[in-house]
Amino acid sequence: MLIKYKKNFEKIAMGLLSFMPNEKDIKKLQATMKMYETDESSQLFLWKDEDIKGLIGISVLNENEIEILHVSVNPSFRHQGVGKSMVSAIRNQFPDKKLVPNELTAAFLEKCEADHPTT
Ligand SMILES: CC(C)(COP(=O)(O)OP(=O)(O)OC[C@H]1O[C@@H](n2cnc3c(N)ncnc32)[C@H](O)[C@@H]1OP(=O)(O)O)[C@@H](O)C(=O)NCCC(=O)NCCS
């Protein structure tokens, strides 16, 4: 299930974020974490069942749209539907909003949209 990021998950969240191609540099990673902690329109979520397996970060752009900024799954748990489940959980959490990708999440979002052609 999707849980909201809290400070005690900082290390695991940074580890997951670092799998994103634009978050390889530690300074950039720290700046991104700070953005999620301070920017009210940005929210970070973790996917947790027995383990914390993935992360999804969003930004509320306006009353109609949510941008998917980051999606990352621990390599040990990839290809098990965690990524798609996180996108679907965000869709359910914000049912009145359209999900829009950035250049990094576009291809995966497109893959997810194949399952949800109406959004
Ligand atoms: C992208 C990522 C989040 C997918 O997570 P996952 O839990 O393995 O994904 P799921 O199991 O839900 O879905 C797997 C499907 O997505 C496809 N997929 C994986 N990464 C993809 C990508 N970057 N673009 C398009 N499709 C992708 C797989 O080929 C697979 O397709 P299939 O169902 O036809 O076999 C994971 O590979 C990851 O963390 N990558 C590193 C971070 C990253 O690069 N993020 C940017 C893209 S969001």
Side-chain angles (χ1 to χ4, degrees):
M1 69 173 180
L2 209 57
I3 57 168
K4 276 195 99 169
Y5 168 78
K6 291 194 190 71
K7 190 81 177 168
N8 53 324
F9 296 128
E10 187 174 26
K11 284 212 171 74
I12 193 156
M14 285 179 82
L16 287 165
L17 257 184
S18 72
F19 294 119
M20 292 291 302
N22 64 333
E23 302 290 346
K24 300 295 177 198
D25 174 67
I26 183 73
K27 289 236 154 51
K28 172 71 166 54
L29 195 53
Q30 285 165 342
T32 299
M33 288 306 295
K34 193 165 176 105
M35 186 264 304
Y36 279 120
E37 284 165 10
T38 55
D39 176 4
E40 282 185 7
S41 63
S42 302
Q43 296 175 43
L44 197 55
F45 298 89
L46 298 165
W47 186 261
K48 184 173 188 297
D49 38 46
E50 311 91 69
D51 300 289
I52 292 179
K53 295 183 175 172
L55 162 153
I56 186 163
I58 65 159
S59 175
V60 178
L61 294 179
N62 53 54
E63 60 183 23
N64 301 316
E65 293 175 311
I66 285 191
E67 185 174 358
I68 306 293
L69 302 178
H70 298 101
V71 188
S72 179
V73 172
N74 179 321
S76 307
F77 302 111
R78 286 187 191 164
H79 308 292
Q80 297 174 15
V82 174
K84 286 182 188 175
S85 295
M86 291 195 293
V87 172
S88 170
I90 291 293
R91 237 183 260 285
N92 292 339
Q93 187 130 337
F94 302 95
D96 54 337
K97 296 201 177 12
K98 180 177 162 56
L99 304 189
V100 299
N102 63 15
E103 69 275 14
L104 295 169
T105 60
F108 187 63
L109 254 283
E110 208 169 289
K111 180 92 198 169
C112 294
E113 266 165 27
D115 299 337
H116 293 268
T118 53
T119 46

